[in-house]
Amino acid sequence: MTTLHSYTDDHLHQLTATLQGYADAGIDPAFDMDMEELERQFAELRLTSGCND
């Protein structure tokens, strides 16, 4: 049982480190997901206004 526990602990530490790396880099998945609708609306606005830059 200690092997499984050690395995789980190692993976939790790795996951925590990975998530902290994302936070340090300014990556926020929840924010990105919330902005998808806004990005879609901006793309639609660009298409309808004729700005295809």
Coordinates of all heavy atoms in Angstrom, one line a residue:
M1 N 0.8 -1.2 0.0 CA 0.0 0.0 0.0 C 0.9 1.3 0.0 O 0.5 2.3 -0.5 CB -0.9 0.0 1.2 CG -2.1 1.0 1.1 SD -3.0 0.8 -0.4 CE -4.6 0.4 0.3
T2 N 2.0 1.2 0.6 CA 2.9 2.4 0.6 C 3.4 2.7 -0.8 O 3.6 3.9 -1.0 CB 4.1 2.2 1.6 OG1 4.8 1.0 1.2 CG2 3.6 2.0 3.0
T3 N 3.5 1.7 -1.6 CA 4.0 2.0 -3.0 C 3.0 2.9 -3.7 O 3.3 3.8 -4.4 CB 4.2 0.7 -3.8 OG1 5.2 -0.1 -3.1 CG2 4.8 1.0 -5.2
L4 N 1.7 2.5 -3.6 CA 0.6 3.3 -4.2 C 0.6 4.7 -3.7 O 0.4 5.7 -4.4 CB -0.7 2.6 -4.1 CG -1.9 3.3 -4.7 CD1 -1.8 3.5 -6.2 CD2 -3.2 2.5 -4.4
H5 N 0.7 4.7 -2.3 CA 0.7 6.0 -1.7 C 1.8 6.9 -2.1 O 1.6 8.1 -2.4 CB 0.7 5.8 -0.2 CG 0.6 7.1 0.6 ND1 -0.5 7.9 0.6 CD2 1.5 7.7 1.4 CE1 -0.3 9.0 1.4 NE2 1.0 8.9 1.8
S6 N 3.0 6.3 -2.2 CA 4.2 7.1 -2.7 C 4.0 7.5 -4.2 O 4.3 8.7 -4.5 CB 5.4 6.2 -2.6 OG 6.5 6.9 -3.1
Y7 N 3.5 6.7 -5.0 CA 3.2 7.0 -6.4 C 2.2 8.1 -6.5 O 2.4 9.1 -7.2 CB 2.6 5.7 -7.1 CG 2.2 5.9 -8.5 CD1 3.1 5.9 -9.5 CD2 0.8 6.1 -8.8 CE1 2.7 6.1 -10.8 CE2 0.4 6.3 -10.1 CZ 1.4 6.3 -11.1 OH 1.0 6.5 -12.4
T8 N 1.1 8.1 -5.7 CA 0.1 9.2 -5.7 C 0.7 10.5 -5.2 O 0.5 11.5 -5.8 CB -1.1 8.8 -4.8 OG1 -1.6 7.5 -5.3 CG2 -2.1 9.8 -4.9
D9 N 1.5 10.4 -4.2 CA 2.1 11.6 -3.6 C 3.1 12.2 -4.7 O 3.1 13.5 -4.9 CB 3.0 11.3 -2.4 CG 2.1 11.1 -1.1 OD1 0.9 11.5 -1.2 OD2 2.6 10.7 -0.1
D10 N 3.9 11.4 -5.3 CA 4.8 11.9 -6.4 C 4.0 12.6 -7.5 O 4.4 13.7 -7.9 CB 5.6 10.8 -7.0 CG 6.7 10.3 -6.0 OD1 6.9 11.0 -5.0 OD2 7.2 9.2 -6.2
H11 N 2.9 12.0 -7.9 CA 2.1 12.6 -9.0 C 1.4 13.9 -8.5 O 1.3 14.8 -9.3 CB 1.1 11.6 -9.6 CG 1.8 10.7 -10.6 ND1 2.7 9.7 -10.2 CD2 1.7 10.7 -11.9 CE1 3.1 9.1 -11.3 NE2 2.5 9.7 -12.3
L12 N 1.0 13.9 -7.3 CA 0.3 15.1 -6.8 C 1.3 16.3 -6.7 O 1.0 17.4 -7.0 CB -0.3 14.9 -5.4 CG -1.6 14.0 -5.5 CD1 -2.1 13.8 -4.0 CD2 -2.7 14.7 -6.3
H13 N 2.5 16.0 -6.3 CA 3.6 17.0 -6.2 C 3.9 17.5 -7.6 O 4.1 18.7 -7.8 CB 4.8 16.5 -5.5 CG 4.7 16.3 -4.1 ND1 4.5 17.3 -3.2 CD2 4.7 15.2 -3.3 CE1 4.3 16.9 -2.0 NE2 4.5 15.5 -2.0
Q14 N 4.0 16.6 -8.6 CA 4.2 17.0 -10.0 C 3.1 17.8 -10.5 O 3.3 18.8 -11.2 CB 4.4 15.7 -10.8 CG 4.8 16.0 -12.3 CD 5.0 14.8 -13.1 OE1 4.7 13.7 -12.6 NE2 5.5 14.9 -14.3
L15 N 1.9 17.5 -10.2 CA 0.7 18.2 -10.7 C 0.7 19.6 -10.1 O 0.5 20.6 -10.8 CB -0.6 17.5 -10.3 CG -1.9 18.2 -10.7 CD1 -2.0 18.5 -12.2 CD2 -3.1 17.4 -10.2
T16 N 1.0 19.7 -8.8 CA 1.1 21.0 -8.1 C 2.1 21.9 -8.7 O 1.9 23.0 -9.0 CB 1.3 20.8 -6.6 OG1 0.3 20.0 -6.1 CG2 1.4 22.1 -5.9
A17 N 3.3 21.3 -9.0 CA 4.4 22.1 -9.6 C 4.0 22.5 -11.0 O 4.3 23.7 -11.4 CB 5.6 21.2 -9.7
T18 N 3.3 21.7 -11.8 CA 2.9 22.1 -13.1 C 1.9 23.2 -13.1 O 2.0 24.2 -13.8 CB 2.3 20.9 -13.9 OG1 3.3 19.8 -14.0 CG2 1.8 21.2 -15.2
L19 N 0.9 23.1 -12.2 CA -0.1 24.1 -12.1 C 0.5 25.4 -11.6 O 0.1 26.5 -12.0 CB -1.2 23.7 -11.1 CG -2.1 22.5 -11.6 CD1 -3.1 22.1 -10.5 CD2 -2.8 22.9 -12.9
Q20 N 1.5 25.4 -10.7 CA 2.2 26.6 -10.2 C 2.9 27.2 -11.3 O 3.0 28.4 -11.5 CB 3.1 26.2 -9.0 CG 3.7 27.5 -8.4 CD 2.7 28.5 -7.9 OE1 1.8 28.1 -7.2 NE2 2.9 29.7 -8.2
G21 N 3.5 26.4 -12.2 CA 4.2 26.9 -13.4 C 3.3 27.7 -14.3 O 3.6 28.7 -14.8
Y22 N 2.1 27.2 -14.5 CA 1.1 27.9 -15.3 C 0.7 29.2 -14.6 O 0.6 30.2 -15.3 CB -0.2 27.0 -15.4 CG 0.0 25.8 -16.3 CD1 -0.9 24.8 -16.2 CD2 0.9 25.7 -17.3 CE1 -0.8 23.6 -17.0 CE2 1.0 24.6 -18.1 CZ 0.2 23.6 -18.0 OH 0.3 22.5 -18.8
A23 N 0.5 29.2 -13.4 CA 0.2 30.4 -12.7 C 1.3 31.4 -12.8 O 1.1 32.6 -13.0 CB -0.2 30.1 -11.2
D24 N 2.5 31.0 -12.6 CA 3.7 31.9 -12.7 C 3.8 32.5 -14.1 O 4.3 33.6 -14.3 CB 5.0 31.1 -12.4 CG 5.0 30.8 -10.9 OD1 4.3 31.3 -10.1 OD2 5.9 29.9 -10.5
A25 N 3.4 31.7 -15.1 CA 3.5 32.2 -16.5 C 2.3 33.1 -16.9 O 2.2 33.6 -18.0 CB 3.6 31.0 -17.5
G26 N 1.3 33.2 -16.0 CA 0.2 34.0 -16.3 C -0.9 33.3 -17.1 O -1.8 33.9 -17.6
I27 N -0.8 32.0 -17.1 CA -1.8 31.2 -17.8 C -3.0 30.8 -16.9 O -2.7 30.3 -15.8 CB -1.2 29.9 -18.4 CG1 -0.1 30.2 -19.3 CG2 -2.3 29.0 -19.0 CD1 0.7 29.0 -19.8
D28 N -4.2 31.2 -17.2 CA -5.3 30.9 -16.4 C -6.4 30.3 -17.3 O -7.1 31.0 -18.0 CB -5.8 32.3 -15.8 CG -7.0 32.1 -14.9 OD1 -7.5 30.9 -14.7 OD2 -7.5 33.1 -14.3
P29 N -6.5 29.0 -17.3 CA -7.5 28.3 -18.1 C -8.9 28.7 -17.9 O -9.7 28.8 -18.9 CB -7.3 26.8 -17.8 CG -6.0 26.7 -17.1 CD -5.7 28.0 -16.5
A30 N -9.3 29.0 -16.7 CA -10.7 29.4 -16.5 C -10.9 30.8 -17.2 O -12.0 31.0 -17.8 CB -10.9 29.5 -15.0
F31 N -10.0 31.7 -17.1 CA -10.1 33.0 -17.7 C -10.2 32.8 -19.2 O -11.0 33.4 -19.9 CB -8.9 33.9 -17.4 CG -8.9 35.2 -18.1 CD1 -9.7 36.2 -17.6 CD2 -8.2 35.4 -19.2 CE1 -9.8 37.5 -18.2 CE2 -8.2 36.6 -19.8 CZ -9.0 37.7 -19.3
D32 N -9.3 31.9 -19.8 CA -9.3 31.7 -21.2 C -10.6 31.1 -21.7 O -11.2 31.5 -22.7 CB -8.2 30.8 -21.6 CG -6.8 31.4 -21.4 OD1 -6.7 32.6 -21.4 OD2 -5.8 30.7 -21.4
M33 N -11.2 30.2 -20.9 CA -12.5 29.6 -21.3 C -13.6 30.6 -21.3 O -14.5 30.7 -22.1 CB -12.8 28.4 -20.4 CG -11.9 27.2 -20.7 SD -12.2 25.8 -19.6 CE -13.9 25.5 -19.9
D34 N -13.6 31.5 -20.3 CA -14.6 32.6 -20.2 C -14.5 33.6 -21.3 O -15.5 34.2 -21.7 CB -14.4 33.3 -18.8 CG -14.9 32.5 -17.7 OD1 -15.6 31.4 -17.9 OD2 -14.5 32.8 -16.5
M35 N -13.3 33.7 -21.9 CA -13.1 34.7 -22.9 C -13.4 34.2 -24.3 O -13.5 35.0 -25.3 CB -11.7 35.3 -22.9 CG -11.4 36.1 -21.6 SD -12.4 37.5 -21.5 CE -13.4 37.2 -20.0
E36 N -13.7 32.9 -24.5 CA -14.0 32.3 -25.8 C -15.2 33.0 -26.4 O -15.2 33.3 -27.6 CB -14.2 30.8 -25.7 CG -12.9 30.1 -25.5 CD -13.1 28.6 -25.4 OE1 -14.2 28.1 -25.7 OE2 -12.1 27.9 -25.1
E37 N -16.2 33.2 -25.7 CA -17.4 33.8 -26.2 C -17.1 35.3 -26.6 O -17.6 35.7 -27.7 CB -18.6 33.8 -25.2 CG -19.8 34.5 -25.6 CD -20.5 34.0 -26.9 OE1 -20.2 32.8 -27.2 OE2 -21.3 34.7 -27.5
L38 N -16.4 36.0 -25.8 CA -16.0 37.4 -26.2 C -15.2 37.4 -27.4 O -15.4 38.2 -28.3 CB -15.3 38.0 -25.0 CG -14.9 39.5 -25.1 CD1 -16.2 40.3 -25.3 CD2 -14.1 40.0 -23.9
E39 N -14.2 36.5 -27.6 CA -13.4 36.4 -28.8 C -14.3 36.1 -30.0 O -14.1 36.7 -31.1 CB -12.4 35.3 -28.6 CG -11.2 35.7 -27.7 CD -10.3 36.8 -28.3 OE1 -10.2 36.9 -29.5 OE2 -9.8 37.5 -27.5
R40 N -15.3 35.2 -29.8 CA -16.2 34.9 -31.0 C -17.0 36.2 -31.4 O -17.1 36.5 -32.6 CB -17.2 33.8 -30.6 CG -18.1 33.4 -31.7 CD -19.3 32.6 -31.2 NE -20.2 33.4 -30.4 CZ -21.0 34.3 -30.8 NH1 -21.1 34.6 -32.1 NH2 -21.8 34.9 -30.0
Q41 N -17.4 36.9 -30.4 CA -18.2 38.2 -30.7 C -17.3 39.2 -31.4 O -17.7 39.9 -32.3 CB -18.8 38.8 -29.4 CG -19.9 37.9 -28.8 CD -20.4 38.5 -27.5 OE1 -20.0 39.6 -27.1 NE2 -21.2 37.7 -26.8
F42 N -16.0 39.3 -31.0 CA -15.1 40.2 -31.6 C -14.9 39.8 -33.1 O -14.8 40.6 -34.0 CB -13.8 40.4 -30.9 CG -13.9 41.3 -29.7 CD1 -13.3 40.9 -28.5 CD2 -14.4 42.6 -29.9 CE1 -13.3 41.8 -27.4 CE2 -14.4 43.4 -28.8 CZ -13.9 43.1 -27.6
A43 N -14.7 38.5 -33.3 CA -14.5 38.0 -34.6 C -15.7 38.3 -35.5 O -15.5 38.7 -36.7 CB -14.2 36.5 -34.6
E44 N -16.9 38.1 -35.0 CA -18.1 38.4 -35.7 C -18.2 39.8 -36.1 O -18.5 40.2 -37.2 CB -19.3 37.9 -34.9 CG -20.6 38.0 -35.6 CD -21.8 37.5 -34.8 OE1 -21.7 36.3 -34.4 OE2 -22.7 38.3 -34.6
L45 N -17.8 40.7 -35.1 CA -17.9 42.1 -35.3 C -16.9 42.5 -36.4 O -17.2 43.4 -37.3 CB -17.6 42.9 -34.0 CG -17.6 44.4 -34.1 CD1 -19.0 44.9 -34.5 CD2 -17.3 45.0 -32.7
R46 N -15.7 42.0 -36.4 CA -14.7 42.3 -37.4 C -15.2 41.9 -38.8 O -15.0 42.6 -39.8 CB -13.3 41.6 -37.1 CG -12.6 42.2 -36.0 CD -11.1 41.7 -35.9 NE -11.1 40.2 -35.6 CZ -11.1 39.7 -34.4 NH1 -11.0 40.5 -33.4 NH2 -11.0 38.4 -34.3
L47 N -15.8 40.7 -38.9 CA -16.3 40.3 -40.2 C -17.4 41.2 -40.7 O -17.5 41.5 -41.9 CB -16.8 38.8 -40.1 CG -15.8 37.7 -39.9 CD1 -16.4 36.4 -39.7 CD2 -14.9 37.7 -41.2
T48 N -18.3 41.6 -39.8 CA -19.4 42.4 -40.3 C -19.0 43.9 -40.5 O -19.7 44.5 -41.3 CB -20.6 42.4 -39.2 OG1 -20.1 42.9 -38.0 CG2 -21.2 41.0 -39.1
S49 N -17.9 44.3 -39.9 CA -17.5 45.7 -40.1 C -16.6 45.8 -41.3 O -16.2 46.9 -41.7 CB -16.9 46.3 -38.9 OG -15.7 45.6 -38.6
G50 N -16.1 44.7 -41.9 CA -15.2 44.8 -43.0 C -13.8 44.9 -42.7 O -12.9 45.1 -43.5
C51 N -13.4 44.8 -41.4 CA -12.0 44.9 -41.0 C -11.5 43.4 -41.0 O -11.7 42.7 -40.0 CB -11.9 45.5 -39.6 SG -12.4 47.2 -39.6
N52 N -10.8 43.1 -42.0 CA -10.3 41.7 -42.1 C -8.8 41.7 -41.9 O -8.1 41.0 -42.6 CB -10.7 41.1 -43.4 CG -12.2 40.9 -43.5 OD1 -12.8 40.6 -42.5 ND2 -12.7 41.0 -44.7
D53 N -8.2 42.4 -41.0 CA -6.8 42.5 -40.8 C -6.3 41.2 -40.2 O -6.6 40.7 -39.3 CB -6.4 43.7 -39.9 CG -6.8 45.0 -40.5 OD1 -6.7 45.1 -41.8 OD2 -7.1 45.9 -39.8

